[in-house]
Amino acid sequence: MLFSSASSAFPPSVALCRVRYRGGGGAASATCSPLSSADLPLRHIPGDYGLPFLGPLCDRLAYFYFEGRDQFFRSRIRRYGSTVFRVNLPPGPFVAPDPRVVALLDAASFPVLFDASLVDKRDLFTGNFLPSTDLTGSFRVLSYLDPAEPNHAPLKRLLFFLLASHRHALVLEFRRAYGALFDAMEVGIAKEGKADFGAANDRAAFDFLSQCLFGVDPARSSLVLDGPRLINKWLLFQIGPLLKLGLPAYLEDFLLHSFRLPPALVRADYTRLVEFFRDSAGPALDEAKRFGVSRDEALHNVLFAVCFNGFGGIKFLFPSIIKWLGRSGARLHGRIAEEVRSAVRDAGGEVTFRSLESAMPLVRSVVYEVLRMEPPVPLQYGRAKRDMEVASHDARFPVRAGEVLVGYQPLATRDPRVFERAEEFVAERFVGAEGEALLRHVVWSNGPETETSTAENKQCAGKEFVVTVARLLVAELFLRYDSFEIEVGPSPVAAAVRLTSLKRATF
């Protein structure tokens, strides 16, 4: 095995922090100790890929059915005594031609995936397979481009423009759409004793995104109320090989994980979405030429960004926020409600960007803690550009050029050598100076929370947008209610959350 010891993925000294929380929800205190990666022992990467076809198939069945995703990774950490190892990742045969990866499962090794000088992100957005470009207008859209490719920077700048030019409408349109959602939840609880948050969230998300970014009410467009249904079907055809829908295992594995769903089956649905965006996104598409992007390529990239990244992200993240808050109980709810209402009173009765950023530290921390516990995109990929070394907390490992590296984010962001009480939801974890220092380990956006998305990196173009709307959800919830109760069931994409009680604000 060839490798270059001079090519290290990490600086000579890495500071690892453990943070301790005082009882009663008090402030955090942190202790940091320097660790020189150069002093770590050099190990060959443990694990193997097994026999061709049979090895990937066995790993796929274990991943989806015999163990489940979390246990799949944890059992191999125990088996190899290492958070870095070789394994096959789904979908494998016959969807992905090469399922072999090197797994990175701690906070020390994971950041190599953000270094554009060391890893190539080309065609690795959904994993080791590229969905058919028939699903994206025959274009490889921005999410599948490496920063070194010529279209990456112009397309990302176009998305930055789209988000910035509609910032003024964000709070107003969000509160309108999600105010209607909570009104509907109250009606559902009154009638049935419970209300499904997921389906209502899908409708509210698409309504909000359309109104905020394009000033268009989708209910008055050619889509009428079909937008969320069309998007969900389109998403299934792209990420189906990565999902577990709950069908009988033998049938699901054959239909979903062994072969690609034919894009022709969703062509008419995608055409309807294209027509909606062509009519609605005119001002943004008019700017495409200024950024050096053809109008047609811009159209399909804007559609993908809104429907896959935006709608898909909200579809996953918002139920997670409701779930973790609902499980935390009335005491935390009261603290958040007091903070939100006080900040809004001080801002003249309005929810403002300034109050969200500086006057609601607990709300801010709660959102980051959800992103730490349950990141919207759990797996991140990169292909080694050259022979190099990757360091975990305990050892250095030689990686060959061309090998695919995969980080499973929920283990990296629950690393007990970085986070105290790593498996617990700690609402105030990121409050205060010590909490702020931990944000570099919150990496849901394909980069540290402490860094900025630019045209030259692969960090999510909508990073700040996502964090803002997540805080708005928490603020809107506790402006209206003192507390709430939930029940949670399984779901192939996000938690299936039903609200069972909403206690109207009393102060």
Side-chain angles (χ1 to χ4, degrees):
M1 183 181 293
L2 298 175
F3 63 94
S4 168
S5 60
S7 250
S8 177
F10 295 90
S13 179
V14 179
L16 301 178
C17 301
R18 292 179 65 87
V19 178
R20 301 187 180 276
Y21 291 88
R22 305 189 186 102
S29 62
T31 58
C32 296
S33 58
L35 176 66
S36 174
S37 60
D39 294 336
L40 293 173
L42 182 65
R43 292 182 59 188
H44 287 290
I45 301 172
D48 64 76
Y49 303 116
L51 296 173
F53 186 80
L54 185 60
L57 179 60
C58 290
D59 282 342
R60 185 172 79 199
L61 294 174
Y63 182 94
F64 284 118
Y65 307 108
F66 301 148
E67 295 180 282
R69 188 170 61 190
D70 270 34
Q71 187 59 27
F72 177 85
F73 289 114
R74 291 181 188 276
S75 66
R76 284 153 182 78
I77 291 175
R78 293 191 295 270
R79 182 187 307 170
Y80 302 125
S82 173
T83 52
V84 177
F85 53 80
R86 299 185 184 280
V87 71
N88 299 291
L89 272 196
F94 298 94
V95 176
D98 189 353
R100 297 174 299 174
V101 301
V102 175
L104 311 177
L105 304 179
D106 59 61
S109 59
F110 196 91
V112 71
L113 295 165
F114 311 142
D115 191 334
S117 70
L118 294 174
V119 298
D120 190 314
K121 295 281 193 175
R122 190 183 314 256
D123 296 338
L124 291 173
F125 176 63
T126 48
N128 48 19
F129 74 101
L130 174 68
S132 171
T133 56
D134 288 345
L135 297 165
T136 51
S138 299
F139 292 101
R140 289 173 58 244
V141 292
L142 176 63
S143 292
Y144 293 93
L145 302 182
D146 183 76
E149 295 184 75
N151 268 16
H152 181 275
L155 286 169
K156 200 165 183 182
R157 292 189 186 104
L158 175 64
L159 296 187
F160 287 152
F161 166 81
L162 175 64
L163 292 168
S165 61
H166 294 85
R167 182 179 170 85
H168 64 281
L170 196 157
V171 174
L172 177 64
E173 293 300 342
F174 186 92
R175 297 200 65 193
R176 181 196 56 76
Y178 279 84
L181 176 147
F182 286 120
D183 288 341
M185 294 292 98
E186 291 186 38
V187 172
I189 292 171
K191 287 184 177 180
E192 307 290 339
K194 64 182 68 174
D196 179 18
F197 180 80
N201 180 53
D202 282 2
R203 290 191 295 272
F206 188 61
D207 183 23
F208 159 64
L209 291 167
S210 299
Q211 295 273 21
C212 175
L213 298 176
F214 311 123
V216 173
D217 180 357
R220 297 177 180 272
S221 74
S222 59
L223 290 181
V224 196
L225 300 178
D226 291 341
R229 178 182 63 82
L230 299 179
I231 296 171
N232 282 326
K233 185 176 176 184
W234 174 71
L235 288 172
L236 174 64
F237 276 65
Q238 295 179 78
I239 62 174
L242 306 176
L243 299 179
K244 182 181 176 184
L245 299 182
L247 301 172
Y250 67 91
L251 178 63
E252 182 177 84
D253 195 64
F254 177 76
L255 293 177
L256 210 59
H257 306 142
S258 301
F259 304 97
R260 296 174 187 252
L261 296 172
L265 297 180
V266 77
R267 183 175 298 134
D269 302 308
Y270 186 66
T271 298
R272 289 186 65 191
L273 290 172
V274 168
E275 290 171 352
F276 171 78
F277 279 86
R278 183 179 288 116
D279 294 339
S280 304
L285 302 182
D286 291 341
E287 293 291 326
K289 185 176 180 180
R290 179 163 67 89
F291 292 101
V293 179
S294 74
R295 190 180 184 88
D296 199 35
E297 185 170 12
L299 169 64
H300 292 280
N301 272 273
V302 168
L303 187 159
F304 189 92
V306 173
C307 295
F308 194 112
N309 304 125
F311 176 89
I314 291 174
K315 180 183 181 69
F316 185 96
L317 177 59
F318 280 18
S320 295
I321 292 173
I322 299 296
K323 179 185 76 174
W324 288 106
L325 282 174
R327 289 175 171 174
S328 297
R331 184 176 179 182
L332 174 61
H333 297 173
R335 291 169 57 203
I336 298 174
E338 184 175 350
E339 176 181 270
V340 169
R341 295 169 200 176
S342 175
V344 171
R345 283 195 299 270
D346 292 346
E350 300 291 333
V351 178
T352 66
F353 290 117
R354 179 174 294 181
S355 64
L356 287 170
E357 180 62 31
S358 60
M360 301 183 194
L362 183 56
V363 170
R364 185 171 180 266
S365 179
V366 161
V367 168
Y368 287 138
E369 182 70 342
V370 173
L371 289 166
R372 183 189 75 86
M373 292 292 292
E374 203 164 359
V377 180
L379 293 162
Q380 293 179 11
Y381 292 74
R383 189 181 303 276
K385 288 185 173 181
R386 59 175 184 265
D387 291 354
M388 61 183 181
E389 290 176 6
V390 172
S392 70
H393 293 302
D394 302 311
R396 295 174 292 132
F397 300 90
V399 172
R400 295 179 301 228
E403 290 194 288
V404 174
L405 308 174
V406 178
Y408 182 55
Q409 193 175 153
L411 292 187
T413 55
R414 298 187 190 188
D415 188 333
R417 296 173 72 167
V418 173
F419 295 102
E420 194 76 15
R421 295 160 58 191
E423 295 293 334
E424 296 180 36
F425 180 85
V426 181
E428 65 276 9
R429 188 182 298 275
F430 298 101
V431 173
E434 292 85 358
E436 288 282 336
L438 286 172
L439 286 176
R440 66 192 179 96
H441 299 292
V442 177
V443 292
W444 68 273
S445 62
N446 204 8
E449 191 60 31
T450 50
E451 295 185 7
T452 302
S453 177
T454 71
E456 288 72 39
N457 66 25
K458 283 302 291 181
Q459 197 156 24
C460 175
K463 170 176 173 280
E464 300 303 329
F465 180 88
V466 170
V467 171
T468 298
V469 297
R471 293 175 190 169
L472 280 170
L473 175 69
V474 179
E476 184 66 24
L477 179 60
F478 288 104
L479 280 173
R480 299 170 65 102
Y481 308 107
D482 287 343
S483 187
F484 66 98
E485 295 175 347
I486 62 167
E487 61 181 35
V488 181
S491 171
V493 178
V497 178
R498 287 171 290 276
L499 292 165
T500 58
S501 170
L502 288 167
K503 300 175 183 177
R504 272 284 183 179
T506 57
F507 65 91

